[in-house]
Amino acid sequence: MIVDLTRAEAVTGADEVTTLYAAAFGYPSSVTRRFTDTYTRCMREYHGARLLLARADGASVGFGFGFTFERGHWWPEQIGPALRATGNAEWMQDAFELAELVVAPEHQGKGTGAMLLHHLVHTTRHQRVLLATAPTNPARRLYQRAGFVELLPDFRYGDSGPAAVIMGRDRTGPPASPQGGVGAGS
């Protein structure tokens, strides 16, 4: 079952979300504390902030959270120049930034992530959804099956930062291959 929490419920549930985040990635407490701080700030302050929880047998087994893609936020300032340079600037208009899609390890590969993603894409008020994933992340195939296209397949944060694949999904029609990107069927 997918539950769309209010902002207040999302902030109150920060510990539950952080526990899922830590279990899925195995990060040390210093990283999970930073995640909790960022997540809570975003849920309180960012326009269009949403948290979706996947529940099974009364327990939370996954979540997706994000907010309106806006200039001045960290991620849009990172990827904006590259999207403009590749002819993909329109993807930044009326977009939802999917910050995290996380599924507990024991529920991965069972459709939980697909359900969260489907619900988010089909209930957002935004025309587009943008996300970043690691090039080797198996979830990349999930995003492609859900109609996301690779807008920046070889993006790097800063000159020597981590590699990422920036993907987008336009809700107004069938997914089309963006300029400079790779289509979902590739």
Side-chain angles (χ1 to χ4, degrees):
M1 167 172 69
I2 305 297
V3 181
D4 201 341
L5 274 65
T6 66
R7 281 177 179 245
E9 292 168 333
V11 170
T12 302
D15 288 342
E16 182 178 20
V17 169
T18 300
T19 299
L20 281 167
Y21 182 80
F25 296 112
Y27 290 141
S29 61
S30 61
V31 173
T32 58
R33 276 194 304 274
R34 238 186 351 259
F35 167 79
T36 303
D37 293 344
T38 301
Y39 162 82
T40 303
R41 180 176 46 81
C42 292
M43 290 307 300
R44 284 185 176 138
E45 300 174 12
Y46 283 20
H47 295 110
R50 292 181 72 190
L51 172 68
L52 301 178
L53 279 179
R55 292 207 170 120
D57 300 322
S60 294
V61 298
F63 71 89
F65 100 91
F67 30 82
T68 301
F69 183 91
E70 292 184 49
R71 290 188 77 157
H73 292 178
W74 181 84
W75 195 59
E77 294 303 315
Q78 296 294 307
I79 70 168
L83 286 171
R84 284 188 287 280
T86 58
N88 290 309
E90 74 279 0
W91 284 88
M92 295 185 288
Q93 298 168 7
D94 192 18
F96 182 82
E97 177 182 334
L98 179 55
E100 293 288 345
L101 183 70
V102 174
V103 176
E106 64 274 13
H107 288 272
Q108 292 175 6
K110 298 180 180 179
T112 303
M115 286 189 318
L116 279 164
L117 189 60
H118 177 83
H119 187 83
L120 182 123
V121 166
H122 290 86
T123 61
T124 185
R125 64 175 181 80
H126 299 84
Q127 179 180 338
R128 298 175 180 92
V129 178
L130 296 170
L131 61 85
T133 191
T136 59
N137 186 343
R140 188 172 173 184
R141 289 185 304 279
L142 166 70
Y143 303 136
Q144 290 170 333
R145 285 191 307 269
F148 282 77
V149 293
E150 296 182 1
L151 303 170
L152 301 171
D154 300 309
F155 184 76
R156 215 168 254 292
Y157 292 99
D159 292 333
S160 60
V165 178
I166 309 303
M167 302 179 81
R169 169 75 158 83
D170 191 323
R171 299 178 54 237
T172 60
S177 187
Q179 294 178 356
V182 178
S186 297

mmCIF file of all heavy atoms in Angstrom, residues 33-60:
data_model
loop_
_atom_site.group_PDB
_atom_site.id
_atom_site.type_symbol
_atom_site.label_atom_id
_atom_site.label_comp_id
_atom_site.label_asym_id
_atom_site.label_seq_id
_atom_site.Cartn_x
_atom_site.Cartn_y
_atom_site.Cartn_z
ATOM 1 N N ARG A 33 22.659 11.152 9.659
ATOM 2 C CA ARG A 33 22.274 12.392 10.365
ATOM 3 C C ARG A 33 22.148 13.550 9.376
ATOM 4 O O ARG A 33 21.220 14.350 9.461
ATOM 5 C CB ARG A 33 23.292 12.729 11.452
ATOM 6 C CG ARG A 33 23.052 12.013 12.763
ATOM 7 C CD ARG A 33 23.858 12.609 13.912
ATOM 8 N NE ARG A 33 25.293 12.648 13.652
ATOM 9 C CZ ARG A 33 26.143 11.646 13.883
ATOM 10 N NH1 ARG A 33 25.697 10.517 14.383
ATOM 11 N NH2 ARG A 33 27.430 11.778 13.626
ATOM 12 N N ARG A 34 23.094 13.639 8.442
ATOM 13 C CA ARG A 34 23.026 14.694 7.416
ATOM 14 C C ARG A 34 21.773 14.523 6.566
ATOM 15 O O ARG A 34 21.095 15.484 6.230
ATOM 16 C CB ARG A 34 24.288 14.640 6.539
ATOM 17 C CG ARG A 34 25.052 15.910 6.535
ATOM 18 C CD ARG A 34 26.236 15.975 5.593
ATOM 19 N NE ARG A 34 26.654 14.772 4.924
ATOM 20 C CZ ARG A 34 27.698 14.017 5.285
ATOM 21 N NH1 ARG A 34 28.417 14.342 6.333
ATOM 22 N NH2 ARG A 34 28.019 12.950 4.599
ATOM 23 N N PHE A 35 21.465 13.257 6.208
ATOM 24 C CA PHE A 35 20.254 12.985 5.445
ATOM 25 C C PHE A 35 19.025 13.460 6.220
ATOM 26 O O PHE A 35 18.158 14.133 5.666
ATOM 27 C CB PHE A 35 20.113 11.492 5.115
ATOM 28 C CG PHE A 35 18.755 11.142 4.602
ATOM 29 C CD1 PHE A 35 18.406 11.393 3.286
ATOM 30 C CD2 PHE A 35 17.787 10.614 5.449
ATOM 31 C CE1 PHE A 35 17.131 11.104 2.814
ATOM 32 C CE2 PHE A 35 16.516 10.325 4.991
ATOM 33 C CZ PHE A 35 16.187 10.569 3.666
ATOM 34 N N THR A 36 18.942 13.115 7.513
ATOM 35 C CA THR A 36 17.786 13.506 8.326
ATOM 36 C C THR A 36 17.629 15.021 8.356
ATOM 37 O O THR A 36 16.522 15.540 8.187
ATOM 38 C CB THR A 36 17.916 12.971 9.765
ATOM 39 O OG1 THR A 36 18.064 11.558 9.711
ATOM 40 C CG2 THR A 36 16.692 13.320 10.601
ATOM 41 N N ASP A 37 18.725 15.726 8.554
ATOM 42 C CA ASP A 37 18.680 17.190 8.595
ATOM 43 C C ASP A 37 18.193 17.759 7.266
ATOM 44 O O ASP A 37 17.327 18.639 7.227
ATOM 45 C CB ASP A 37 20.050 17.773 8.943
ATOM 46 C CG ASP A 37 20.492 17.453 10.356
ATOM 47 O OD1 ASP A 37 19.639 17.036 11.183
ATOM 48 O OD2 ASP A 37 21.703 17.604 10.639
ATOM 49 N N THR A 38 18.754 17.260 6.164
ATOM 50 C CA THR A 38 18.369 17.747 4.830
ATOM 51 C C THR A 38 16.916 17.405 4.530
ATOM 52 O O THR A 38 16.145 18.254 4.085
ATOM 53 C CB THR A 38 19.292 17.158 3.751
ATOM 54 O OG1 THR A 38 20.635 17.537 4.042
ATOM 55 C CG2 THR A 38 18.901 17.625 2.365
ATOM 56 N N TYR A 39 16.547 16.161 4.768
ATOM 57 C CA TYR A 39 15.178 15.710 4.524
ATOM 58 C C TYR A 39 14.175 16.570 5.299
ATOM 59 O O TYR A 39 13.192 17.059 4.742
ATOM 60 C CB TYR A 39 15.055 14.226 4.918
ATOM 61 C CG TYR A 39 13.636 13.773 5.121
ATOM 62 C CD1 TYR A 39 12.847 13.414 4.036
ATOM 63 C CD2 TYR A 39 13.072 13.722 6.393
ATOM 64 C CE1 TYR A 39 11.529 13.017 4.220
ATOM 65 C CE2 TYR A 39 11.768 13.322 6.591
ATOM 66 C CZ TYR A 39 11.001 12.976 5.502
ATOM 67 O OH TYR A 39 9.697 12.590 5.680
ATOM 68 N N THR A 40 14.423 16.772 6.594
ATOM 69 C CA THR A 40 13.501 17.542 7.437
ATOM 70 C C THR A 40 13.393 18.982 6.952
ATOM 71 O O THR A 40 12.290 19.537 6.855
ATOM 72 C CB THR A 40 13.954 17.488 8.908
ATOM 73 O OG1 THR A 40 14.037 16.117 9.304
ATOM 74 C CG2 THR A 40 12.985 18.213 9.807
ATOM 75 N N ARG A 41 14.534 19.587 6.610
ATOM 76 C CA ARG A 41 14.520 20.972 6.108
ATOM 77 C C ARG A 41 13.720 21.056 4.806
ATOM 78 O O ARG A 41 12.886 21.945 4.629
ATOM 79 C CB ARG A 41 15.944 21.479 5.892
ATOM 80 C CG ARG A 41 16.009 22.915 5.382
ATOM 81 C CD ARG A 41 17.440 23.431 5.266
ATOM 82 N NE ARG A 41 18.374 22.524 4.633
ATOM 83 C CZ ARG A 41 18.488 22.375 3.297
ATOM 84 N NH1 ARG A 41 17.728 23.074 2.485
ATOM 85 N NH2 ARG A 41 19.375 21.538 2.792
ATOM 86 N N CYS A 42 13.949 20.124 3.908
ATOM 87 C CA CYS A 42 13.234 20.138 2.626
ATOM 88 C C CYS A 42 11.726 19.962 2.825
ATOM 89 O O CYS A 42 10.924 20.652 2.197
ATOM 90 C CB CYS A 42 13.766 19.046 1.705
ATOM 91 S SG CYS A 42 15.456 19.325 1.138
ATOM 92 N N MET A 43 11.342 19.035 3.694
ATOM 93 C CA MET A 43 9.917 18.795 3.929
ATOM 94 C C MET A 43 9.248 20.014 4.555
ATOM 95 O O MET A 43 8.089 20.291 4.274
ATOM 96 C CB MET A 43 9.702 17.559 4.808
ATOM 97 C CG MET A 43 10.033 16.248 4.118
ATOM 98 S SD MET A 43 9.224 15.977 2.521
ATOM 99 C CE MET A 43 7.510 16.037 2.941
ATOM 100 N N ARG A 44 9.979 20.761 5.362
ATOM 101 C CA ARG A 44 9.402 21.948 6.002
ATOM 102 C C ARG A 44 9.365 23.149 5.067
ATOM 103 O O ARG A 44 8.434 23.941 5.105
ATOM 104 C CB ARG A 44 10.214 22.322 7.239
ATOM 105 C CG ARG A 44 9.973 21.448 8.418
ATOM 106 C CD ARG A 44 10.719 21.972 9.633
ATOM 107 N NE ARG A 44 10.399 21.162 10.791
ATOM 108 C CZ ARG A 44 11.285 20.768 11.680
ATOM 109 N NH1 ARG A 44 12.549 21.125 11.572
ATOM 110 N NH2 ARG A 44 10.909 20.024 12.698
ATOM 111 N N GLU A 45 10.407 23.326 4.249
ATOM 112 C CA GLU A 45 10.610 24.594 3.552
ATOM 113 C C GLU A 45 10.395 24.580 2.038
ATOM 114 O O GLU A 45 10.102 25.624 1.473
ATOM 115 C CB GLU A 45 12.043 25.094 3.826
ATOM 116 C CG GLU A 45 12.328 25.335 5.288
ATOM 117 C CD GLU A 45 13.783 25.679 5.554
ATOM 118 O OE1 GLU A 45 14.541 25.946 4.596
ATOM 119 O OE2 GLU A 45 14.170 25.674 6.742
ATOM 120 N N TYR A 46 10.572 23.463 1.376
ATOM 121 C CA TYR A 46 10.554 23.461 -0.096
ATOM 122 C C TYR A 46 9.132 23.360 -0.644
ATOM 123 O O TYR A 46 8.312 22.590 -0.126
ATOM 124 C CB TYR A 46 11.393 22.316 -0.638
ATOM 125 C CG TYR A 46 12.884 22.544 -0.586
ATOM 126 C CD1 TYR A 46 13.475 23.486 0.256
ATOM 127 C CD2 TYR A 46 13.728 21.799 -1.390
ATOM 128 C CE1 TYR A 46 14.835 23.693 0.283
ATOM 129 C CE2 TYR A 46 15.105 21.993 -1.362
ATOM 130 C CZ TYR A 46 15.647 22.933 -0.518
ATOM 131 O OH TYR A 46 16.996 23.130 -0.494
ATOM 132 N N HIS A 47 8.883 24.116 -1.696
ATOM 133 C CA HIS A 47 7.581 24.074 -2.371
ATOM 134 C C HIS A 47 7.327 22.666 -2.921
ATOM 135 O O HIS A 47 8.235 22.030 -3.436
ATOM 136 C CB HIS A 47 7.536 25.071 -3.532
ATOM 137 C CG HIS A 47 7.633 26.478 -3.095
ATOM 138 N ND1 HIS A 47 8.739 27.251 -3.340
ATOM 139 C CD2 HIS A 47 6.771 27.255 -2.398
ATOM 140 C CE1 HIS A 47 8.559 28.444 -2.825
ATOM 141 N NE2 HIS A 47 7.384 28.478 -2.243
ATOM 142 N N GLY A 48 6.101 22.243 -2.813
ATOM 143 C CA GLY A 48 5.687 20.978 -3.408
ATOM 144 C C GLY A 48 6.282 19.741 -2.762
ATOM 145 O O GLY A 48 6.233 18.662 -3.345
ATOM 146 N N ALA A 49 6.833 19.861 -1.542
ATOM 147 C CA ALA A 49 7.463 18.711 -0.885
ATOM 148 C C ALA A 49 6.447 17.609 -0.621
ATOM 149 O O ALA A 49 5.333 17.873 -0.170
ATOM 150 C CB ALA A 49 8.127 19.144 0.418
ATOM 151 N N ARG A 50 6.862 16.372 -0.931
ATOM 152 C CA ARG A 50 5.989 15.201 -0.748
ATOM 153 C C ARG A 50 6.802 14.031 -0.220
ATOM 154 O O ARG A 50 7.960 13.861 -0.586
ATOM 155 C CB ARG A 50 5.401 14.741 -2.086
ATOM 156 C CG ARG A 50 4.433 15.663 -2.725
ATOM 157 C CD ARG A 50 3.919 15.072 -4.010
ATOM 158 N NE ARG A 50 3.012 13.952 -3.733
ATOM 159 C CZ ARG A 50 2.574 13.133 -4.675
ATOM 160 N NH1 ARG A 50 2.954 13.266 -5.920
ATOM 161 N NH2 ARG A 50 1.750 12.144 -4.371
ATOM 162 N N LEU A 51 6.134 13.206 0.559
ATOM 163 C CA LEU A 51 6.687 11.932 0.998
ATOM 164 C C LEU A 51 5.646 10.856 0.744
ATOM 165 O O LEU A 51 4.515 10.959 1.207
ATOM 166 C CB LEU A 51 7.045 11.945 2.491
ATOM 167 C CG LEU A 51 7.441 10.582 3.068
ATOM 168 C CD1 LEU A 51 8.772 10.104 2.486
ATOM 169 C CD2 LEU A 51 7.499 10.632 4.585
ATOM 170 N N LEU A 52 6.056 9.839 0.013
ATOM 171 C CA LEU A 52 5.229 8.656 -0.189
ATOM 172 C C LEU A 52 5.884 7.512 0.568
ATOM 173 O O LEU A 52 7.094 7.300 0.451
ATOM 174 C CB LEU A 52 5.158 8.266 -1.672
ATOM 175 C CG LEU A 52 4.601 9.287 -2.638
ATOM 176 C CD1 LEU A 52 4.658 8.746 -4.065
ATOM 177 C CD2 LEU A 52 3.179 9.643 -2.281
ATOM 178 N N LEU A 53 5.088 6.776 1.333
ATOM 179 C CA LEU A 53 5.583 5.601 2.040
ATOM 180 C C LEU A 53 4.941 4.357 1.450
ATOM 181 O O LEU A 53 3.747 4.353 1.161
ATOM 182 C CB LEU A 53 5.224 5.655 3.527
ATOM 183 C CG LEU A 53 6.079 6.478 4.458
ATOM 184 C CD1 LEU A 53 5.528 6.409 5.885
ATOM 185 C CD2 LEU A 53 7.523 6.025 4.438
ATOM 186 N N ALA A 54 5.742 3.315 1.280
ATOM 187 C CA ALA A 54 5.218 2.002 0.906
ATOM 188 C C ALA A 54 5.135 1.197 2.192
ATOM 189 O O ALA A 54 6.113 1.128 2.948
ATOM 190 C CB ALA A 54 6.143 1.320 -0.087
ATOM 191 N N ARG A 55 3.967 0.601 2.428
ATOM 192 C CA ARG A 55 3.779 -0.176 3.648
ATOM 193 C C ARG A 55 3.365 -1.592 3.285
ATOM 194 O O ARG A 55 2.602 -1.809 2.353
ATOM 195 C CB ARG A 55 2.724 0.476 4.529
ATOM 196 C CG ARG A 55 3.191 1.813 5.099
ATOM 197 C CD ARG A 55 2.503 2.145 6.402
ATOM 198 N NE ARG A 55 3.135 3.284 7.036
ATOM 199 C CZ ARG A 55 2.522 4.418 7.312
ATOM 200 N NH1 ARG A 55 1.250 4.574 7.012
ATOM 201 N NH2 ARG A 55 3.183 5.399 7.904
ATOM 202 N N ALA A 56 3.876 -2.532 4.069
ATOM 203 C CA ALA A 56 3.503 -3.942 3.932
ATOM 204 C C ALA A 56 3.379 -4.513 5.338
ATOM 205 O O ALA A 56 4.278 -4.325 6.166
ATOM 206 C CB ALA A 56 4.553 -4.699 3.135
ATOM 207 N N ASP A 57 2.282 -5.167 5.614
ATOM 208 C CA ASP A 57 2.044 -5.760 6.937
ATOM 209 C C ASP A 57 2.222 -4.744 8.062
ATOM 210 O O ASP A 57 2.809 -5.041 9.106
ATOM 211 C CB ASP A 57 2.957 -6.969 7.166
ATOM 212 C CG ASP A 57 2.725 -8.063 6.135
ATOM 213 O OD1 ASP A 57 1.548 -8.273 5.770
ATOM 214 O OD2 ASP A 57 3.707 -8.685 5.704
ATOM 215 N N GLY A 58 1.773 -3.509 7.833
ATOM 216 C CA GLY A 58 1.803 -2.465 8.851
ATOM 217 C C GLY A 58 3.147 -1.785 9.030
ATOM 218 O O GLY A 58 3.266 -0.867 9.827
ATOM 219 N N ALA A 59 4.171 -2.224 8.304
ATOM 220 C CA ALA A 59 5.497 -1.621 8.439
ATOM 221 C C ALA A 59 5.866 -0.861 7.171
ATOM 222 O O ALA A 59 5.475 -1.245 6.066
ATOM 223 C CB ALA A 59 6.540 -2.707 8.700
ATOM 224 N N SER A 60 6.627 0.202 7.333
ATOM 225 C CA SER A 60 7.120 0.951 6.173
ATOM 226 C C SER A 60 8.292 0.186 5.562
ATOM 227 O O SER A 60 9.226 -0.199 6.271
ATOM 228 C CB SER A 60 7.566 2.351 6.583
ATOM 229 O OG SER A 60 6.449 3.087 7.026
#
